[in-house]
Amino acid sequence: MRRYTSLLLTAFLLFILVVAGSAYFAGAGHDDRTRPLREIVVYTTLPAEHAAILTNAYEQSHNVRANFVPLASEELLKRLQKQAEGDENGAAAMVLADKDTLKKAAVAGYLTPYLSEAGDQVPESFRQQDGYWIGVWYDPIVFCVNKDYLLTLPLVPDTWKELAAQPKVRIGITDFLAADASANLFMSMLAQFGDVATYDIWRQIHPKVVQYARYLSNPVRQAGMGEVDVAIAVESEVIRYMQGGYPLKIVYPADGTAALVAGTGIAYKAKAADTVAAKEFADWLLSDEAQQALQKQDFYFVPTNPGTMAYKSFAGKNMLLFDQPVNFTAQQRHDFLDRWVKEVRFK
């Protein structure tokens, strides 16, 4: 009887150990899924929606949370300055921002260089040669043409001068004063073509503009609905509407175009452990996984990394981009826009 009692007691104890062990490992696995191993702070000028998509995707795949802090360019630079001049390591590990902001931060000494195998694949035109910042994707301005209008054309205008000279065309565009992408186009044309040629182009385009929209999506919607014949718009919005079944065709300006470039930089005086995590996140942003996360939510940007499948899938990946740097001061930008308003927009 004692023998059976001992066997039963041993079996009961083994059962308790198995149950306890299962509960422990199940709990440990649950903790890994719900609690990130590390959190890093990322300053960004990107829209909050883009940041949310990226941080959710990265946390799920890498168990690291990127806490994005959306900031205007000037405020972002002020915070980086404060961190760089502080005696202790600061909170921000990384910056994900537009190219102009990154260039200013690099020149001011607010970033630290980072070179990687992934970043080395990016063309030199999209990165700072010493590694202070690197572009991860860009969104070019294109001609978004209604397909019914295309059928009426013997020759499709594919340069800025040809579009400006096109007779009886209805054009949609976002106001230069309403969106950074639109203002960037105007400033880039001034740098590339000079002020005389640029103002001449827009003087010819202005009478054909049906509406100066406030949002980047409106001109594309107008072209898709046949309210305008050609929209001057960011490619990401055009692809989004094309995916929705709108009858549109993209024409890439043969004489070049502007693009908003988004890129990364590692913050100066970030904590050492955070810097390591930030570098890994920066490399991930150059991957197909990051682009897939964005595309699942209908955001279609051109990757700068030619080694990705996402890059190879873009028909216009070899488009000609303006190559003249836009180095205008804030006052010069104001004066150029003021002149456009007076001599073109409201004349």
Side-chain angles (χ1 to χ4, degrees), residues 33-234:
R33 290 191 299 270
T34 58
R35 287 204 309 268
L37 294 177
R38 174 169 293 282
E39 296 187 12
I40 57 173
V41 173
V42 182
Y43 291 162
T44 186
T45 59
L46 267 60
E49 189 173 7
H50 298 172
I53 293 169
L54 294 169
T55 191
N56 289 339
Y58 192 66
E59 184 175 344
Q60 290 176 13
S61 63
H62 288 72
N63 212 25
V64 175
R65 175 176 296 163
N67 291 320
F68 281 96
V69 181
L71 298 166
S73 179
E74 291 304 315
E75 178 60 28
L76 188 152
L77 292 170
K78 288 179 181 178
R79 293 202 185 190
L80 288 178
Q81 179 183 12
K82 185 176 180 180
Q83 177 165 316
E85 294 176 350
D87 295 331
E88 299 181 0
N89 291 331
M94 192 175 112
V95 179
L96 177 58
D98 60 275
K99 178 180 175 180
D100 287 345
T101 300
L102 289 168
K103 288 173 68 175
K104 291 177 182 177
V107 170
Y110 305 155
L111 302 176
T112 188
Y114 169 59
L115 300 173
S116 71
E117 183 177 352
D120 193 49
Q121 299 182 65
V122 174
E124 292 183 3
S125 58
F126 291 115
R127 57 186 169 96
Q128 200 277 336
Q129 62 179 358
D130 295 320
Y132 282 92
W133 62 265
I134 182 166
V136 291
W137 64 72
Y138 60 98
D139 198 6
I141 298 288
V142 299
F143 300 159
C144 167
V145 188
N146 178 278
K147 285 187 174 181
D148 291 333
Y149 173 69
L150 271 178
L151 297 175
T152 70
L153 298 177
L155 185 66
V156 179
D158 68 348
T159 69
W160 291 99
K161 288 184 178 180
E162 287 180 3
L163 179 64
Q166 184 73 10
K168 298 179 181 180
V169 62
R170 300 171 300 165
I171 295 176
I173 185 172
T174 303
D175 197 313
F176 295 153
L177 302 178
D180 289 340
S182 199
N184 180 60
L185 168 65
F186 185 57
M187 296 300 162
S188 298
M189 290 179 71
L190 286 164
Q192 188 76 21
F193 300 142
D195 60 337
V196 174
T198 299
Y199 281 102
D200 183 56
I201 287 171
W202 289 105
R203 285 191 189 97
Q204 293 181 68
I205 288 178
H206 172 69
K208 302 162 187 175
V209 174
V210 173
Q211 178 188 7
Y212 287 96
R214 292 187 58 81
Y215 300 98
L216 293 173
S217 61
N218 281 356
V220 182
R221 180 196 59 78
Q222 289 176 313
M225 298 294 290
E227 297 170 2
V228 300
D229 303 314
V230 179
I232 299 171
V234 291

Side-chain angles (χ1 to χ4, degrees), residues 9-23:
L9 182 60
T10 301
F12 177 73
L13 290 173
L14 286 172
F15 175 76
I16 294 298
L17 287 172
V18 169
V19 171
S22 298

Side-chain angles (χ1 to χ4, degrees), residues 278-294:
K279 290 177 178 178
E280 293 173 354
F281 184 46
D283 284 346
W284 180 83
L285 288 169
L286 289 165
S287 72
D288 273 312
E289 190 177 345
Q291 288 300 318
Q292 288 167 2
L294 289 165

